[in-house]
Amino acid sequence: MIRRGLVGRHRVEAANVVVPGFAQTLRDALRDAKRPVIVAEGLLSYLAPDEREQLYASVAGALGAQGLFVCDLHTQAGQASVGIAAKVLRTGIRTVTRRREALDPYADEADVRRVMEDAGLAEVSFVDPTAHYEAEPKLQGLHSPTHVVTAGL
């Protein structure tokens, strides 16, 4: 049912987010969108902090007043809440991606807001999963260090 509702309004664009021309590519892709939504799921933890900031600036430059940016990311507090599981995950990712550091987390939610706002995004908010427990009871047993964040202009 959701897929039928998205016909003609949804598309997936493949792009290299760390090349200099990405900002223009994104602006071109969203040029005619009335209410664009950019989803960066599973991406930000693999980018260096300066690459993340550049991505946020590109998103802010392309989004428009009616747009929404949705992403998942990590904070030190979130990772500390799952302790050993986060360490195992970081080690696994570091091994697979051959990075010296994996999942470079933000210090906390205030740090996320500051970095996003400095890049031109506003209305930064963290989605509270407990608000969805009634509609999706299976979420109650899950615990993740990942934060889902939304931002607009």
Side-chain angles (χ1 to χ4, degrees):
M1 170 151 345
I2 292 174
R3 287 185 184 184
R4 279 184 268 157
L6 290 175
V7 170
R9 297 188 295 170
H10 171 266
R11 70 176 192 240
V12 175
E13 296 280 338
N16 184 339
V17 301
V18 296
V19 297
F22 174 69
Q24 185 62 49
T25 299
L26 188 58
R27 283 193 301 274
D28 292 346
L30 298 179
R31 184 180 328 276
D32 298 324
K34 290 183 176 82
R35 293 181 64 197
V37 176
I38 299 170
V39 179
E41 189 270 331
L43 171 67
L44 298 174
S45 293
Y46 297 97
L47 299 178
D50 61 321
E51 293 170 328
R52 286 185 221 156
E53 292 169 22
Q54 184 58 48
L55 176 64
Y56 299 150
S58 296
V59 168
L63 203 53
Q66 299 298 314
L68 183 68
F69 177 56
V70 182
C71 63
D72 62 331
L73 49 78
H74 297 262
T75 61
Q76 292 170 359
Q79 288 187 358
S81 71
V82 293
I84 191 68
K87 289 179 184 175
V88 169
L89 177 63
R90 280 194 306 271
T91 301
I93 291 170
R94 191 170 31 248
T95 301
V96 171
T97 64
R98 298 180 188 180
R99 287 188 64 198
R100 287 176 297 165
E101 295 290 329
L103 301 174
D104 304 323
Y106 290 94
D108 53 27
E109 291 181 14
D111 188 28
V112 171
R113 284 188 178 89
R114 180 191 57 74
V115 170
M116 288 186 167
E117 289 171 357
D118 286 352
L121 293 168
E123 300 177 25
V124 177
S125 64
F126 286 72
V127 177
D128 178 8
T130 62
H132 303 280
Y133 283 179
E134 190 173 313
E136 293 290 338
K138 63 186 171 193
L139 294 175
Q140 291 181 27
L142 300 177
H143 184 72
S144 171
T146 303
H147 298 282
V148 175
V149 180
T150 64
L153 292 183

